[in-house]
Each structure stands twice: as structure tokens, then as C-alpha cells.
Amino acid sequence: MDDMYRDYILDHYKNPRNFGELEGATHTYHDSNPLCGDELTMQLKIDDGHVDEIHFTGKGCAISQASASILTEEVKGKTLDEVKAIDRDHVLANLGIPISPARIKCALLGLKALKGAAWGLTAWPGEEVKAK
Amino acid sequence: MAVTVKTPSVKAAPLDVARIRKDFPILSQSVRGKPLVYLDNAATSQKPRQVIDTMARVFEEHNANIHRGVYEFSERTTAEFEEARAKVARLINAPSEREVVFVRNATEGLNLVAYAWGRDNIKRGDRIVTTVLEHHSDFVPWQQLAKDVGAEVAVVDIDDDGRLRRDQVSAELRRGAKLLAITHTSNGLGTVNPVKEIAAEARAAGATVLVDVAQAVPHTPVDVQDLGADFVAFSGHKMLAPPGSGGLWGRAEILESMRPFLYGGDMISRVTVKLTEWNELPWKFEAGTSSYVDAIGLGAAVDYLSDVGVERIHAHELSLVGYLLPRLREIPGVTVYGPKDLESRVGVVSFNIEGIHPHDVATIFDREGVCVRAGHHCNQPLMTRLGVPATTRASMYLYNTTDEMDALVRAIHAAKKVFGV
Ligand SMILES: Cc1ncc(COP(=O)(O)O)c(C=O)c1O
């Protein structure tokens, strides 16, 4: 019925998969979208170059949370290199709904946090300069 | 709960909204097949035909740079530019046009004060008193100034109704203040602060008083002399005028004591290789080619607002709020932030729907043709104080109707239906 708020999007939003703190995470990255107040943390447990476990925590709009939830389902079992290769077009296609320019950042927050975690970052390159 | 409309002091005859709407070409548009319901007036207002035509006429008939040419077009444009200044001065009851500086927007006016006054007057250990209701543009300049010179910023809190904690204001001022930087009207909650009595206290404490009137001038009468302010700043685009127009008013003796903000053409009276003498007020603060067509558009907007009557506009907005608030209260899961009555407020209503992020709310509203703002409204300290990342904000103006309030309520139900809450 709704082109954007499809049932599976709302389902992922209300019942996020792989949600909650991950005990023994080897890689953790937190990112936020200050404009909307979306917050997201991705946690990976990497074992022998593979994603053994992935969890996320966060709060925000349906698009950011559903996109992150869908991403975690896909990533489990992949190699770290495969995770690093996931790009935005893939995430948007996987999300399967039209995303307006104003909401792109919401849709990609999960990917950004995942990349940060996979690359073992503590801050996004170029964004280390902390606010005064 | 009954809400009675508190009519502003002067008896205000109701607006002929149907006629007013005809002046705003954009309002007859539809969005996705639905009539446009524009409720983002705190972000920017729409423009009446009279403003659009005035600006087009300058471009088509006598455009020329101001204060320079010794030919008729330049003289005519200069005269209209200066006439616009006189109109602004009358609107805010400035004692003299010399005290009205044209700026691009409120932000530029506030930064002008922070740089040209603040850096010479705020010293290590001085205190700046401000409030948690400030827009970032009346907060960050003071925070950064304080950081640079080693001053201290005291931020006054609000109560649960979104009203300033008066006791805290007085206490902070008593502890000493060099500057009070306060918003007249909150863009996030619609609260109108008792600025006149606070300004009197601040002056008694020896503070200079700067008032952000960006949400006040468009919606309520503002008299800078009655307020007892030293500086006020506002943006034209929120009051029917084009973006790129705005005003800073300051008391002449303070403006005269200040150094210029930007250096360049127009702001000088004489330049030698060794030194420069500044132009008189207000041109000392208008370096470079002004947005003069925008300023002339602001003059036309002031005419429009004065013809309708700002007091009547305020009464109209309050009647819309009085219609909307009880209807919002009936909807389960809707929380309204800020004043719950019509006392000392304007037509800004901030709310959240439980279980739906404001961005999702605004996206669904958009499909109903309803334009609202979702986000932190450049009020992050306020959002933190409210304990929410963002709110949905509907803000009204002279052309909005009760039918549009109904459309807003329907859009809320539509959002709740999509999310099953
Ligand atoms: C209370 C208040 N102050 C200042 C501003 C800044 O206005 P501008 O962005 O036009 O400079 C705004 C605009 O949202 C405002 O609402």
C-alpha cells in the first residue's frame, strides 16, 4: 500500500534483527546523524576473517533502523573483505524502496557504521577534527 | 480541556484569510494532488505578490547599484532602499533610521554584534547570560566568543511548560552579567518571553541587552524602545520578504562606539594609503554592495504586514493554536512540547507521535500535502533539555486556516495508521 513504509520496513523497524549489545565484540563503531538525531552502533565479532556475530544498537527513524537491521542479516558469515566491499548502491537496492534525497543519510547510516567497524576505525576519515 | 483564545490587548478584527491567500501565488499549488498546506513558517514564510512585483519592478525598471551612480536609476534605487530602511524603523519603532543596519539575515546581525561589539567589550571572566531556548545563531556566537576571550556563559533553563525559569534569570543576572542574549520568541516551542521586564533587570545589573526578534517581528508587535533593548536582530525571509534581507537595530551611541564588522566599499568616508575613516551610521556597517533589491522587497513586506496589522496576525495565529491544541490532545500518543495554553505564545506547535520518528512523520505528512519541519530546529540545547532527539513542528502564519489544522490532524492519523500505532 505504501511505497516507502512497506510492511517489511516497518517490521524491521519494530522488531530489529540482531539488536542489542554484543558480548565480546572485536570491532565496534558508533555513528550518528546529528540533523535527525539518529544514533547507530555496529558491533562485529570477527573470527578467522569472518563475521561470526553482528549486532547493532541505536535509535532513530524507521529508514535508518530498518536499513541497519536488514544489513546485519546480510552480513553474518561474510568475510571481512566482503563486508568492506559492500557499497551504497547495494544497500539502497537491498532496501527496495524509493529514497528521497533528504532521507539518503538515514538509509546509509547503518552502512557507514558497519564500514567504520569493519575497517577498525574509531573516527570516520576526515571527520576526526572534533567540534570545539 | 477548554482553551479560550486570549485576544491580544487591542481588539483585533478577524483577518480576511481568503483574500490574503489570493496574494500568495504559491498557496494555490497542489502537492502530489493534494492542496498545499504550508505549516513551516518558522523556517521561512511565503511571499505575497506585492513583494514579488516590487522586486521585479526594480529589476525591470531602474536597477542600478546604490549610493554610487550619479544618474537617475541609481538615485531611484537608492531612494527606495533608504525608504525601506525608514519602513523597518517605523515597524520596530526605532528612534532613528540611522540605527537600522541592513544585514542578510538574523544570523549575520547577531554575528556582527559578537565580532564588532563582543570582541571589544567581553573580557576574561565576564559573564554572558543566555537561555536554553536560543536558536543556534544566538547561542554559538556567544559560546565561541566566551571560549576565545575566557568569558563564562550562563544558560537559563525552562520549566516543563517551556517557559523561562524567571527565578533563574534573576539569579543569573544578580551574579553579574556583561551581556544578556535572549530570544524574544522561541522558534522551537513558540514561547514568548517576558523580555521587557527581564531587560529592565539586566540593565539594572549593568548588562547590555541583545534580543533575537527573528520569530517576534513577523508575528507580534515589537517596539525596541519599549522593550528596553540595546540590539535586536531579525530576518526578512520569515516576514514575507525575500531571503537575503534582514535587520540589525542598535542604539546609536553603542553602534557609534563600535568598530566596523566588514571592511570594504560603502562603509568608508575617506581612504588614504595610511588610514581610513568610517562612514556614518548605518552605512559604516554595510560594506560592499548590499542586497538592495532584497531590502526593497523587505520594505514592501513591511507595508503588507502593516496594512494587515501584526496584532491581528498574532490574534489569528492564536485562534489557530486554540483550535489545534485540544484536537492534538485527543489523539493518543501525541505529546505537545511547550506552552499548553494561549498565554504569551505564537503559532508554533511542536509535538511528537509515540513510536514514529519526526522524520518519518514529515515524510508521511508530505504525501498529504502538509509541509512541516522535523528535526532539532537549530535548537539542540533545547532538544537535549526536552530529552528528545527531534520534534515535528507546525508553524502558522496569516494565511493559514482552520481547514489546514484539520488537514494536519488527518495527516497525524495517516501517519499513525501507516505505523500501526
Ligand atoms: C529565533 C531565531 N533566531 C534566529 C534565526 C536565524 O535566522 P536566519 O537563518 O535567517 O539567520 C532563526 C531562524 O530559524 C530563528 O528562528
Side-chain angles (χ1 to χ4, degrees):
Chain A
M1 151 225 148
D2 199 290
D3 53 349
M4 194 159 158
Y5 296 100
R6 302 259 177 87
D7 287 346
Y8 66 90
I9 297 286
L10 292 173
D11 183 45
H12 273 280
Y13 172 57
K14 290 180 185 174
N15 312 295
R17 322 294 196 265
N18 305 308
F19 192 85
E21 286 286 326
L22 180 58
E23 285 281 321
T26 55
H27 295 60
T28 296
Y29 189 80
H30 169 83
D31 211 328
S32 67
N33 198 343
L35 224 57
C36 343
D38 290 343
E39 301 274 342
L40 218 137
T41 303
M42 279 282 181
Q43 293 186 295
L44 303 175
K45 196 190 279 176
I46 304 294
D47 190 18
D48 198 18
H50 283 74
V51 179
D52 196 33
E53 282 278 5
I54 175 164
H55 272 206
F56 83 104
T57 51
K59 55 185 178 8
C61 68
I63 304 303
S64 71
Q65 304 301 303
S67 174
S69 171
I70 290 170
L71 196 56
T72 60
E73 285 196 312
E74 188 197 350
V75 159
K76 215 182 274 190
K78 284 206 152 74
T79 69
L80 208 48
D81 285 340
E82 284 169 330
V83 172
K84 288 177 181 172
I86 298 173
D87 65 9
R88 52 180 268 154
D89 291 345
H90 176 82
V91 168
L92 294 177
N94 227 11
L95 203 52
I97 54 171
I99 296 288
S100 66
R103 305 299 299 275
I104 282 277
K105 279 201 166 166
C106 310
L108 295 177
L109 184 61
L111 176 66
K112 201 171 166 211
L114 176 64
K115 291 268 181 159
W119 286 94
L121 302 178
T122 52
W124 200 259
E127 288 176 14
E128 298 93 340
V129 200
K130 280 286 160 236
K132 301 188 177 175
Chain B
M1 187 199 201
V3 175
T4 45
V5 179
K6 184 175 164 277
T7 325
S9 47
V10 170
K11 288 279 165 285
L15 298 185
D16 185 350
V17 177
R19 227 200 73 209
I20 286 172
R21 289 181 71 86
K22 291 210 179 83
D23 289 333
F24 291 79
I26 204 170
L27 296 181
S28 56
Q29 306 247 333
S30 22
V31 179
R32 299 161 212 277
K34 309 241 167 120
L36 168 70
V37 176
Y38 186 76
L39 293 173
D40 197 14
N41 293 287
T44 200
S45 68
Q46 300 302 346
K47 320 303 172 201
R49 174 59 67 204
Q50 289 82 340
V51 168
I52 300 168
D53 287 351
T54 297
M55 295 172 67
R57 198 177 38 72
V58 178
F59 285 128
E60 288 174 11
E61 295 179 10
H62 57 84
N63 177 49
N65 207 333
I66 51 170
H67 298 147
R68 298 174 195 195
V70 188
Y71 49 93
E72 196 205 325
F73 280 13
S74 175
E75 283 167 358
R76 272 172 71 189
T77 307
T78 304
E80 287 193 18
F81 178 74
E82 293 302 334
E83 178 55 28
R85 193 191 309 276
K87 288 172 182 176
V88 169
R90 282 196 294 276
L91 181 75
I92 61 173
N93 196 29
S96 160
E97 298 155 39
R98 296 172 58 236
E99 299 179 337
V100 175
V101 177
F102 278 131
V103 288
R104 278 183 304 136
N105 48 39
T107 302
E108 184 174 301
L110 296 164
N111 275 278
L112 190 160
V113 177
Y115 281 96
W117 179 85
R119 270 154 222 269
D120 288 331
N121 289 279
I122 303 287
K123 301 273 171 353
R124 170 168 300 281
D126 283 346
R127 300 180 81 245
I128 299 171
V129 174
T130 186
T131 86
V132 75
L133 286 173
E134 303 312 305
H135 187 280
H136 293 165
S137 62
D138 193 35
F139 188 77
V140 180
W142 313 121
Q143 180 193 57
Q144 295 301 309
L145 172 65
K147 201 175 137 281
D148 289 351
V149 306
E152 184 198 331
V153 178
V155 182
V156 174
D157 197 11
I158 49 172
D159 64 21
D160 291 339
D161 247 11
R163 308 235 177 242
L164 272 191
R165 292 271 309 273
R166 276 298 277 115
D167 53 328
Q168 266 190 21
V169 178
S170 302
E172 291 296 352
L173 290 172
R174 268 198 309 273
R175 289 179 59 202
K178 200 72 184 281
L179 173 71
L180 169 71
I182 186 172
T183 194
H184 182 291
T185 301
S186 157
N187 64 302
L189 300 177
T191 319
V192 175
N193 291 320
V195 171
K196 182 177 174 176
E197 62 179 60
I198 294 175
E201 269 180 43
R203 278 199 318 279
T208 296
V209 177
L210 172 140
V211 187
D212 175 354
V213 293
Q215 295 293 346
V217 174
H219 304 282
T220 55
V222 171
D223 177 333
V224 294
Q225 299 186 58
D226 183 56
L227 269 188
D230 294 302
F231 294 107
V232 309
F234 60 92
S235 293
H237 68 91
K238 295 181 196 288
M239 50 185 287
L240 311 184
S245 64
L248 171 74
W249 169 83
R251 283 202 295 114
E253 59 268 39
I254 303 187
L255 291 176
E256 260 152 13
S257 75
M258 283 158 59
R259 64 167 91 191
F261 175 37
L262 300 173
Y263 300 102
D266 236 23
M267 51 76 63
I268 50 86
S269 67
R270 193 166 68 97
V271 181
T272 68
V273 174
K274 289 261 163 57
L275 61 107
T276 298
E277 289 166 14
W278 312 133
N279 202 341
E280 305 164 30
L281 294 182
W283 306 292
K284 168 179 159 188
F285 293 106
E286 293 179 0
T289 298
S290 294
S291 290
Y292 57 88
V293 181
D294 296 324
I296 293 169
L298 174 58
V302 170
D303 284 343
Y304 192 97
L305 288 173
S306 308
D307 284 352
V308 175
V310 180
E311 204 134 0
R312 290 170 71 209
I313 294 173
H314 185 213
H316 174 70
E317 287 181 23
L318 289 184
S319 75
L320 294 176
V321 176
Y323 183 87
L324 180 63
L325 283 180
R327 284 165 176 78
L328 290 185
R329 240 176 252 126
E330 277 170 15
I331 308 175
V334 170
T335 305
V336 175
Y337 304 97
K340 305 294 186 293
D341 56 25
L342 300 182
E343 191 68 41
S344 301
R345 70 169 301 147
V346 294
V348 170
V349 177
S350 249
F351 61 94
N352 272 327
I353 308 172
E354 200 183 338
I356 319 180
H357 189 278
H359 270 197
D360 295 317
V361 172
T363 297
I364 295 170
F365 279 21
D366 181 38
R367 282 183 263 163
E368 304 289 316
V370 178
C371 309
V372 294
R373 173 83 183 266
H376 55 59
H377 322 295
C378 299
N379 276 145
Q380 283 182 351
L382 175 61
M383 294 297 119
T384 305
R385 166 63 178 80
L386 297 174
V388 296
T391 70
T392 306
R393 178 187 72 185
S395 53
M396 299 117 194
Y397 212 3
L398 70 170
Y399 35 65
N400 291 120
T401 64
T402 48
D403 282 352
E404 292 180 318
M405 300 299 105
D406 289 335
L408 175 68
V409 169
R410 279 197 304 276
I412 293 174
H413 287 296
K416 289 183 56 143
K417 183 148 175 265
V418 168
F419 274 75
V421 293

